[in-house]
Amino acid sequence: MFCGNTLSVLLCVLIKSRNLFYLSSVRTTTFILKMSNSSPSTGVAVMHMQSPPVNSLSLDFLTELCIGVEKLEMDKGCRGLIITSVLSPKVFSAGLDILEMYGKSPERCGEFWKAVQEMWLKLYGSNMTTIAAINGSSPAGGCLMSLTCDYRIMADNPRYSIGLNETQLGIVAPFWFKDTMVNTVGHRNTELALQLGLLYKPAEALKIGLVDQLVPEDQVLAVATQTMTKWLTIPEHARQITKSMMRKPTLDKLRSNREADIQNFVSFITKDSIQKSLRMYMEMLKQKKA
């Protein structure tokens, strides 16, 4: 699913001084990012996404997210990142912003897709331990963001769903979306999920391995924090090397084909038939709101 709109919020950036952490605030358009621990040896950042109405992945959102992740990667005191949402009614992220793909010039579409690539490369290739605290629905690009993380904890609420449902909108998930999901749930589950555009309820997602753990809705962040503590007991160098060994072939595949992937996306998304599908979807959303 796709949606639009953003709201200005605060980005709290970790700064280290005399072995202590304090928060420096700057204006941004997308999310709140704050450190949850004051100890340099166990620094964990919590990214609270707050871009109403549904944390859609716009160009601005993706740009700010990448800047935030890059800052954390450069700070050796930060070892872990938890990504969650603060929106109500609850949604983790509704995915790529349809307004970035409808009625836009090829140049703008290419810029947007490059930002989507960059988000995936930074999160999937992060040296930090990353945990998705999925406290709401997470379709399409929201699911992709979750899949980049090392561990996924989802609220056990049957109203929520998660999956790469692009085909339902007439859109094809690119090879690196597919590869990320294959690496997580296997080839057959991915084949069914992508062709049918399936959205899984939490129990179904747990069964196929799309998420790793279900917890009561009010405990998602607390359990994510506890789980992070366990991950951080593993010697950092050994965990990072192992993570790189597992993910490097998938990362390198996109890195060596970024321009071709952008061109394929632009060529596809600007087709009249695809633009028509996007327009019909937006009209459906307007009718639902009415």
Side-chain angles (χ1 to χ4, degrees):
M1 294 174 63
F2 305 81
C3 227
N5 196 11
T6 58
L7 182 68
S8 183
V9 295
L10 288 175
L11 172 63
C12 297
V13 181
L14 167 69
I15 301 177
K16 186 165 61 177
S17 176
R18 297 181 182 178
N19 295 324
L20 297 174
F21 291 116
Y22 64 96
L23 296 176
S24 171
S25 298
V26 295
R27 298 302 293 180
T28 182
T29 57
T30 52
F31 53 83
I32 299 173
L33 176 60
K34 69 179 182 181
M35 286 298 292
S36 63
N37 195 301
S38 61
S39 169
S41 63
T42 58
V44 177
V46 179
M47 182 182 292
H48 296 274
M49 297 186 292
Q50 185 174 311
S51 182
V54 290
N55 286 331
S56 56
L57 306 182
S58 66
L59 179 57
D60 286 344
F61 186 107
L62 293 164
T63 300
E64 294 294 342
L65 186 150
C66 288
I67 290 172
V69 172
E70 188 170 348
K71 286 180 180 292
L72 295 175
E73 289 282 4
M74 290 189 298
D75 195 308
K76 297 186 183 303
C78 185
R79 303 173 60 210
L81 172 63
I82 298 172
I83 303 176
T84 193
S85 169
V86 296
L87 295 186
S88 183
K90 291 299 180 68
V91 61
F92 181 76
S93 171
L96 304 185
D97 190 341
I98 195 170
L99 297 178
E100 295 285 5
M101 299 180 285
Y102 178 71
K104 293 294 190 292
S105 68
E107 291 75 19
R108 173 72 182 198
C109 289
E111 184 182 6
F112 170 67
W113 197 245
K114 186 174 183 179
V116 178
Q117 292 177 336
E118 193 65 22
M119 176 272 291
W120 179 82
L121 288 168
K122 286 191 180 301
L123 289 176
Y124 199 61
S126 174
N127 284 322
M128 296 181 288
T129 295
T130 54
I131 294 178
I134 309 166
N135 55 347
S137 289
S138 188
C143 177
L144 179 71
M145 184 186 295
S146 302
L147 287 171
T148 66
C149 294
D150 298 307
Y151 198 80
R152 284 164 292 284
I153 300 169
M154 189 172 187
D156 192 5
N157 187 330
R159 292 178 301 171
Y160 300 154
S161 60
I162 184 171
L164 296 178
N165 63 322
E166 281 78 0
T167 52
Q168 290 193 26
L169 311 179
I171 299 173
V172 178
F175 70 86
W176 42 286
F177 281 49
K178 179 265 296 181
D179 290 345
T180 309
M181 195 161 187
V182 168
N183 291 347
T184 306
V185 302
H187 189 279
R188 181 55 180 163
N189 282 326
T190 299
E191 186 174 29
L192 292 172
L194 294 189
Q195 288 198 57
L196 297 174
L198 297 179
L199 288 173
Y200 297 90
K201 297 300 181 183
E204 298 168 335
L206 179 66
K207 184 177 180 180
I208 69 167
L210 190 57
V211 299
D212 299 297
Q213 190 174 353
L214 300 182
V215 300
E217 190 166 348
D218 61 352
Q219 297 179 27
V220 173
L221 186 55
V223 173
T225 302
Q226 295 168 5
T227 303
M228 179 66 76
T229 300
K230 295 178 182 179
W231 277 72
L232 295 184
T233 62
I234 304 300
E236 194 73 358
H237 68 285
R239 185 198 59 77
Q240 289 179 352
I241 292 172
T242 302
K243 180 176 181 177
S244 176
M245 177 177 62
M246 296 297 295
R247 297 189 173 194
K248 189 176 184 297
T250 307
L251 289 161
D252 286 347
K253 188 175 177 181
L254 177 59
R255 286 175 179 143
S256 61
N257 291 281
R258 284 193 74 172
E259 285 304 318
D261 181 62
I262 291 172
Q263 291 174 12
N264 287 339
F265 170 77
V266 171
S267 176
F268 177 81
I269 208 68
T270 55
K271 289 181 179 179
D272 290 342
S273 59
I274 304 304
Q275 288 291 301
K276 181 179 178 181
S277 294
L278 295 177
R279 183 175 68 252
M280 291 173 61
Y281 181 70
M282 289 193 297
E283 291 173 353
M284 181 187 70
L285 287 178
K286 290 179 181 179
Q287 291 173 2
K288 284 186 177 181
K289 291 179 181 179

